[in-house]
């Protein structure tokens, strides 16, 4: 049985209106989502000792989410991840996007879906958010209607994405929550064990754009088919961290693709998806400069993301799963 409570999270500056919050509560999980960016601001779950802790990084107040931050908890769109050189061709026409990540366009541009206020609708077991992305928004073609629905059933949080466009356009939506199963504010995730059910991954260039082929994970640092302890794994392979897309077997029904386990607390996250890829990111760009919930700081590797999505730059790579 899920209880849904609606309240106010804060007021936007310049009289732009209020941001609402929605608390979804089951016997084992509590999740708070706000109407700005459909951001997951808190996710509380029990340890094996029955202790509730908040396991997502973020801010106590709206102000933190309005300022520049690394997409904590937010829905990303119109296209998650990177588009090479911020351009693509659809039906013979070239489109140009804002360049906001080295030479590339990242996470929908300067004002992506993460910075929009969405219209909420309370459901019996969750909340549905809706927005219309106008034709030409951030350079993308077509008016796009988008629905993002969060539902909670016991210990299972489901995010359902639906989009409808009046022109051919690339779309790839994801959620950018940063997790730390020891509890947000814990200094690192080195004691977490990770498993990703993927036989191949996408090698990238120095600007994080895929080279174009999927490479086998066998005998590489990217073979996470059996659980690895992150800290010792990074040391063993002299890796700075992960920020890579793993290639999944796409299916109509959600398939298991990833697990994170924290042995000291017993907390586990399992990810199931219908998407063809999952971006595993270990918070390599967190630098301790942001003050988060309860005055926590978030240094490098203090949170991880498991972002289910289409493959990066798929709109420019015909051999990748179709992004249109």
């Amino acid at each position: 049985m899920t209880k849904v409570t609606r309240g106010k999270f804060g007021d936007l500056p310049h009289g732009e209106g209020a941001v609402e919050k929605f608390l979804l509560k089951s016997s084992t999980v509590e999740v708070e989502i706000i109407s700005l960016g459909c951001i997951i601001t808190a996710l509380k779950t029990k340890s094996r000792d029955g202790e509730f802790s908040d396991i997502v990084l973020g801010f106590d107040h709206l102000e933190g989410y309005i300022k520049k931050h690394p997409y904590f908890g937010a829905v990303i769109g119109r296209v998650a991840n990177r588009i090479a050189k911020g351009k693509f061709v659809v039906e013979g026409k070239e489109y140009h996007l804002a360049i906001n990540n080295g030479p590339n366009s990242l996470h929908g541009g300067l004002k992506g879906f993460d910075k929009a206020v969405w219209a909420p609708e309370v459901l019996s077991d969750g909340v549905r958010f809706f927005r219309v992305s106008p034709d030409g928004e951030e350079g993308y073609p077509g008016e796009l209607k988008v629905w993002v629905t969060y539902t909670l059933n016991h210990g299972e949080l489901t995010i359902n994405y639906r989009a409808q466009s009046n022109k051919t356009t690339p779309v790839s939506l994801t959620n950018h929550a940063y997790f730390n199963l020891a509890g947000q504010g814990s200094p690192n995730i080195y004691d977490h064990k990770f498993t990703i059910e993927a036989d191949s991954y996408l090698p990238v260039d120095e600007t994080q754009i895929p080279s174009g082929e999927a490479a086998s994970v066998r005998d590489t640092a990217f073979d996470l088919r059996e659980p690895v302890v992150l800290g010792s794994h990074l040391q063993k392979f002299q890796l700075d961290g992960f920020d890579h897309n793993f290639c999944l077997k796409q299916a109509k029904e959600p398939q298991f693709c990833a697990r994170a386990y924290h042995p000291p607390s017993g907390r586990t996250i399992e990810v199931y998806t219908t998407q063809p890829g999952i971006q595993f990111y270990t918070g390599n760009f967190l630098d301790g400069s942001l003050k988060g919930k309860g005055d926590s700081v978030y240094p490098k590797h203090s949170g991880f993301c498991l972002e289910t999505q289409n493959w990066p730059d798929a709109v420019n790579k015909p051999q990748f799963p179709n992004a249109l």
Side-chain angles (χ1 to χ4, degrees):
M1 178 68 189
T2 300
K3 186 179 175 204
V4 184
T5 315
R6 184 175 193 165
K8 184 172 162 180
F9 190 68
D11 287 306
L12 290 167
H14 318 302
E16 291 168 32
V19 172
E20 293 188 273
K21 65 178 177 183
F22 300 85
L23 182 66
L24 283 44
K25 195 171 178 177
S26 73
S27 55
T28 53
V29 172
E30 290 180 21
V31 56
E32 185 183 85
I33 307 143
I34 61 173
S35 57
L36 175 72
C38 308
I39 291 171
I40 297 173
T41 52
L43 199 165
K44 294 178 182 171
T45 170
K46 288 179 179 173
S47 67
R48 69 164 64 83
D49 302 330
E51 181 196 353
F52 261 103
S53 285
D54 185 357
I55 58 165
V56 295
L57 280 57
F59 304 102
D60 288 321
H61 305 292
L62 181 59
E63 186 187 7
Y65 292 106
I66 294 169
K67 290 179 177 171
K68 187 172 165 58
H69 68 95
Y71 305 95
F72 285 143
V75 163
I76 305 297
R78 188 174 293 197
V79 174
N81 220 306
R82 293 168 179 87
I83 293 178
K85 299 183 174 54
K87 59 185 182 184
F88 60 88
V89 175
V90 171
E91 295 172 349
K93 184 174 176 193
E94 187 167 271
Y95 292 90
H96 292 264
L97 313 172
I99 304 296
N100 63 341
N101 184 259
N104 306 314
S105 186
L106 175 70
H107 289 341
L110 300 176
K111 193 177 179 193
F113 289 6
D114 59 296
K115 295 174 183 70
V117 176
W118 296 58
E121 177 194 350
V122 173
L123 310 174
S124 61
D125 57 352
V127 59
R128 178 182 295 125
F129 295 99
F130 171 75
R131 83 173 292 253
V132 177
S133 171
D135 187 1
E137 182 175 60
E138 285 296 324
Y140 288 95
E143 178 185 276
L144 188 75
K145 293 176 177 167
V146 193
W147 295 262
V148 177
T149 308
Y150 292 85
T151 50
L152 182 63
N153 180 12
H154 301 296
E156 184 177 292
L157 176 66
T158 302
I159 311 179
N160 181 279
Y161 304 93
R162 186 172 152 237
Q164 189 178 21
S165 178
N166 64 1
K167 285 185 190 169
T168 306
T169 182
V171 178
S172 178
L173 305 171
T174 193
N175 180 283
H176 211 303
Y178 289 71
F179 299 96
N180 187 320
L181 300 183
Q184 72 83 28
S186 301
N188 62 61
I189 49 170
Y190 298 140
D191 58 355
H192 289 46
K193 285 186 171 179
F194 291 97
T195 313
I196 296 182
E197 192 78 16
D199 297 330
S200 56
Y201 77 103
L202 296 181
V204 292
D205 67 17
E206 66 282 358
T207 73
Q208 300 296 111
I209 293 291
S211 58
E213 79 280 330
S216 170
V217 300
R218 187 182 300 281
D219 301 324
T220 73
F222 301 93
D223 191 347
L224 307 178
R225 293 173 293 186
E226 295 295 323
V228 304
V229 177
L230 182 69
S232 52
H233 187 78
L234 294 181
Q235 274 185 321
K236 176 182 173 184
F237 288 97
Q238 295 294 294
L239 274 185
D240 187 51
F242 287 96
D243 190 4
H244 293 81
N245 178 84
F246 288 78
C247 308
L248 307 175
K249 297 175 184 73
Q250 197 168 10
K252 286 270 185 282
E253 292 300 310
Q255 303 290 311
F256 169 76
C257 64
R259 178 185 295 110
Y261 171 56
H262 182 241
S265 69
R267 290 191 186 93
T268 302
I269 288 182
E270 289 190 340
V271 184
Y272 295 76
T273 189
T274 57
Q275 291 294 306
I278 184 167
Q279 186 87 2
F280 178 36
Y281 174 52
T282 50
N284 315 331
F285 296 109
L286 296 174
D287 61 6
S289 62
L290 291 172
K291 188 161 275 195
K293 289 183 268 193
D295 286 340
S296 302
V297 290
Y298 299 133
K300 184 175 180 175
H301 299 155
S302 60
F304 66 89
C305 306
L306 290 166
E307 306 160 60
T308 56
Q309 56 188 249
N310 202 337
W311 297 5
D313 201 33
V315 71
N316 287 314
K317 300 212 167 36
Q319 70 274 31
F320 283 9
N322 182 16
L324 300 175

